Amino acid sequence: MIEVLVVDDDPNVARINAAYVAKVDGFHVAGTAHSAAEALLFLREHPVDLVLLDHYLPDESGLALLRRLHGLGMETEVIMVTAARDAATVRAAQRHGALQYVVKPFTFAHLRGKLDSYAALRHELSTAPRSGATQETVDRVFGSPTPPGGTETLPKGHSVLTADLVGEVLRGAAAPLSAQEVADRAGLSRQTAQRYLKLLEGAGLVRRRLKHGETGRPVHLYHWPGPPK
């Protein structure tokens, strides 16, 4: 299990974010904190793998706490979860080692996508061969994700942003979806959704199965299996 500390100055928001984390397979909420001092005290007594960190804290900023954690040699990873969206704060978070950045308000599907990506990355690094990690894995560690399929560029006419959008729709779905359902939720044409579903399936990120109805042609259903266990 990946142990998580949720840090937010608003107890209600912290509770909601903790509930989101608890719904994702492989993650466990070790605790919540509502100030930088409270978070630091908790981490000294209960080391965790990941901190979901708000920037607006009552005693010092989340970025200041992030710098302090690294200065103390604490190896916990940090995902910023905050309403701060100005370029200076985003750049500073990246500069000081935040692994990812989630802007409030956000959906459960969006946060789950970030957590699934984090879990998959941890798994890849922990199982990397002695010869070292692949370029794709290194790119993800340093925040430059390689497009689906492990190639340096997507096929002509494809967009990484659209591929990410289709993936997020599937990750947020409670059940497998047809290409038309993915298209409706993503705001795409059916042809475009089907093209990206095929791309993601070829990359091994999406799985497809046939659903046979009583009448008409069988329907292809797609789902996102999640990170490796």
Side-chain angles (χ1 to χ4, degrees):
M1 297 292 285
I2 295 172
E3 297 292 324
V4 182
L5 173 65
V6 177
V7 183
D8 197 288
D9 68 313
D10 187 326
N12 290 327
V13 173
R15 187 161 48 248
I16 292 170
N17 290 350
Y20 278 173
V21 173
K23 290 171 65 176
V24 181
D25 289 342
F27 289 81
H28 174 257
V29 179
T32 59
H34 311 302
S35 69
E38 188 179 345
L40 189 58
L41 178 61
F42 185 94
L43 291 170
R44 280 173 167 158
E45 297 179 352
H46 310 280
V48 301
D49 302 298
L50 178 66
V51 176
L52 299 189
L53 180 60
D54 188 16
H55 179 56
Y56 298 118
L57 300 175
D59 46 355
E60 64 177 320
S61 71
L63 288 181
L65 177 59
L66 176 59
R67 290 194 298 268
R68 191 192 297 209
L69 294 180
H70 288 168
L72 292 171
M74 294 186 178
E75 296 184 357
T76 182
E77 302 286 1
V78 172
I79 294 179
M80 298 297 295
V81 180
T82 176
R85 60 181 69 209
D86 59 283
T89 300
V90 174
R91 283 197 300 267
Q94 181 184 47
R95 198 163 55 244
H96 294 299
L99 191 63
Q100 298 188 45
Y101 200 105
V102 178
V103 178
K104 298 177 182 177
F106 56 87
T107 64
F108 167 60
H110 184 75
L111 180 62
R112 180 167 65 179
K114 297 291 187 184
L115 295 178
D116 279 347
S117 295
Y118 169 72
L121 181 60
R122 277 175 56 97
H123 176 81
E124 284 188 53
L125 290 174
S126 67
T127 58
R130 291 185 179 182
S131 58
T134 64
Q135 181 65 54
E136 289 82 5
T137 300
V138 173
D139 285 344
R140 284 192 287 277
V141 170
F142 285 93
S144 302
T146 303
T151 59
E152 293 304 317
T153 58
L154 285 173
K156 186 176 180 180
H158 290 76
S159 160
V160 174
L161 293 177
T162 305
D164 286 344
L165 174 61
V166 171
E168 185 173 329
V169 166
L170 289 176
R171 287 193 294 267
L177 301 176
S178 67
Q180 185 62 61
E181 289 171 325
V182 172
D184 292 341
R185 298 188 187 194
L188 303 170
S189 69
R190 184 181 184 280
Q191 291 78 8
T192 298
Q194 201 156 28
R195 188 153 48 96
Y196 280 88
L197 287 167
K198 183 178 180 180
L199 179 72
L200 293 169
E201 183 187 4
L205 299 174
V206 166
R207 293 179 185 168
R208 172 171 56 99
R209 65 176 175 84
L210 274 177
K211 178 183 179 183
H212 295 276
E214 296 180 0
T215 60
R217 300 172 60 184
V219 177
H220 290 283
L221 297 179
Y222 301 84
H223 77 283
W224 190 283
K229 302 297 184 184

